Amino acid sequence: MVKLQVAIDLLTTEDAIALATKVAPYIDIIELGTPLIKSEGLAVITAMKKAFPDKLVFADFKTADAGELEADMAFGAGADLITILGATGDATIIGAVKSAKKHGKGVVVDTIGVLDRVKRAQEVIALGVEFVELHAGLDEQAQPGYSIQVLIDEASRAGVPVSIAGGVKLSNIAAVKASGVKVAVAGAAIYGAADPAAAAKELREALDA
């Protein structure tokens, strides 16, 4: 079954927990976005895991250096998964994987800023990461001519466990699922919706169909 991940790009712990409470019945992974963690610090990770002990808490650190140290920080605070940038060196990813093994947790490599996402995904899976996020960030999505189809095509030929993040919504989630992803990541489609619970429910039903 494809897991549904909600990316929470709000800026306060209170707002993040309020949103997570609405969508929790329909999602598997709660992602604390980089701006949220920068705004609230490690405490937001601890608060979210305490509120939702049955969900996977995903700390979007986007670590570029000191992989083992930052992973220790995230896992120590209660995170189940941490992101390391694919654009960084292998040593940083290896350090984070070492920490993950120690804590019984997982590392996700985020391909934001990577030119050949498929090649890098195949390289880093060999280093022991859980899965690779094929990710078009908010700035990339805002460029003229952006299409999530690029990520869908990449996922279908990657041949390794991947997620897609970059504009997942109801109109494309069937294609995202068909590409063979392990996780579908929805951000604005949920947190930007008038009724986030209904939006999450529709995405969940589409994934389970």
Side-chain angles (χ1 to χ4, degrees):
M1 191 179 84
V2 180
K3 285 187 165 68
L4 181 58
Q5 174 171 324
V6 59
I8 303 181
D9 287 329
L10 307 174
L11 296 180
T12 70
T13 301
E14 187 182 9
D15 288 347
I17 288 178
L19 176 66
T21 301
K22 290 175 186 167
V23 304
Y26 313 109
I27 54 112
D28 306 291
I29 304 173
I30 299 171
E31 175 188 338
L32 307 178
T34 317
L36 175 60
I37 293 171
K38 286 182 176 178
S39 175
E40 295 286 55
L42 295 174
V44 68
I45 301 172
T46 307
M48 192 64 78
K49 189 64 184 177
K50 188 179 173 190
F52 301 97
D54 60 324
K55 301 294 180 189
L56 292 172
V57 172
F58 180 115
D60 190 16
F61 268 44
K62 293 193 178 74
T63 294
D65 190 26
E68 186 175 1
L69 172 62
E70 291 208 359
D72 279 343
M73 290 165 62
F75 299 140
D80 298 291
L81 297 163
I82 183 182
T83 53
I84 309 295
L85 287 176
T88 194
D90 287 359
T92 302
I93 298 167
I94 290 165
V97 169
K98 182 182 171 190
S99 169
K101 286 182 174 158
K102 189 168 62 187
H103 289 90
K105 307 291 186 182
V107 171
V108 177
V109 165
D110 184 334
T111 59
I112 204 164
V114 171
L115 292 176
D116 189 339
R117 286 181 282 242
V118 171
K119 179 171 178 279
R120 191 61 177 142
Q122 292 164 345
E123 290 168 353
V124 299
I125 284 290
L127 303 179
V129 309
E130 288 284 307
F131 61 92
V132 177
E133 185 172 284
L134 300 176
H135 188 190
L138 295 173
D139 294 341
E140 184 177 341
Q141 290 178 52
Q143 296 301 305
Y146 169 75
S147 170
I148 193 173
Q149 191 60 45
V150 175
L151 302 178
I152 291 167
D153 293 344
E154 289 172 351
S156 63
R157 61 187 171 87
V160 294
V162 296
S163 67
I164 285 179
V168 172
K169 55 191 176 197
L170 196 58
S171 62
N172 59 38
I173 198 158
V176 168
K177 178 186 177 182
S179 72
V181 293
K182 181 174 176 173
V183 178
V185 184
I190 293 176
Y191 68 73
D195 185 342
K201 184 171 187 276
E202 285 181 331
L203 290 168
R204 167 92 273 155
E205 287 169 352
L207 276 180
D208 292 348

